[in-house]
Amino acid sequence: MPQRTLSALSLALEEFVQARTRAVAAARKELRVSELEARALAAIGAEPGIRPSSLREHLDVTSAGVTTLVDRLVERGLLRRELDVDDRRVNHIYLEIDLDAAPWSALTGFGADVESAVREEPRADADAFAKVLRRITAATRDHG
């Protein structure tokens, strides 16, 4: 079978994905959180006060799964629930940790480093690469 040769861009993307995977795995190990827990913390950090139904959709888990996950993270002191003031049937979920401060910044450090590096690039180059990356991502969605 002939050996496949990857383009420079494909190799660079593979290196990026591997670096991100290593960084997130190291952070998860240090913080003792699962991949799903890390994704939930990031989603709640990005949208403080998220409702469980929105978190369920974001994580692609069942209602029971998100309830169990949130219960576990509340028990660990990482999250809190607050009742909606207008509709007491509704909960909002907030972080009890600061993802920008150690040790929790380990979960967001890679992304922050990427953002900093991107800001050092010429805007036109970054915008052009973003367009290419979106096209590549769209072309691969059926394989995930």
Side-chain angles (χ1 to χ4, degrees), residues 104-127:
W104 297 99
S105 59
L107 287 174
T108 57
F110 185 85
D113 290 347
V114 168
E115 182 62 26
S116 178
V118 166
R119 289 183 189 280
E120 296 295 318
E121 294 298 318
R123 177 74 185 253
D125 291 350
D127 290 348

Side-chain angles (χ1 to χ4, degrees), residues 18-95:
Q18 290 173 7
R20 183 184 183 283
T21 300
R22 283 191 303 271
V24 171
R28 286 183 34 236
K29 182 177 180 181
E30 175 187 344
L31 299 168
R32 296 187 173 142
V33 294
S34 70
E35 179 183 353
L36 186 62
E37 290 168 339
R39 289 177 47 220
L41 293 171
I44 297 162
E47 190 179 336
I50 192 170
R51 292 174 62 164
S53 57
S54 295
L55 183 60
R56 180 190 60 75
E57 290 172 11
H58 178 79
L59 299 174
D60 194 28
V61 296
T62 64
S63 294
V66 82
T67 298
T68 301
L69 173 66
V70 171
D71 286 346
R72 185 170 59 242
L73 294 175
V74 166
E75 287 173 14
R76 289 181 58 193
L78 305 180
L79 301 179
R80 76 176 184 280
R81 286 189 187 94
E82 291 184 10
L83 289 175
D84 188 290
V85 294
D86 297 321
D87 185 349
R88 297 190 55 79
R89 296 170 296 174
V90 175
N91 282 297
H92 296 278
I93 306 167
Y94 295 90
L95 293 177

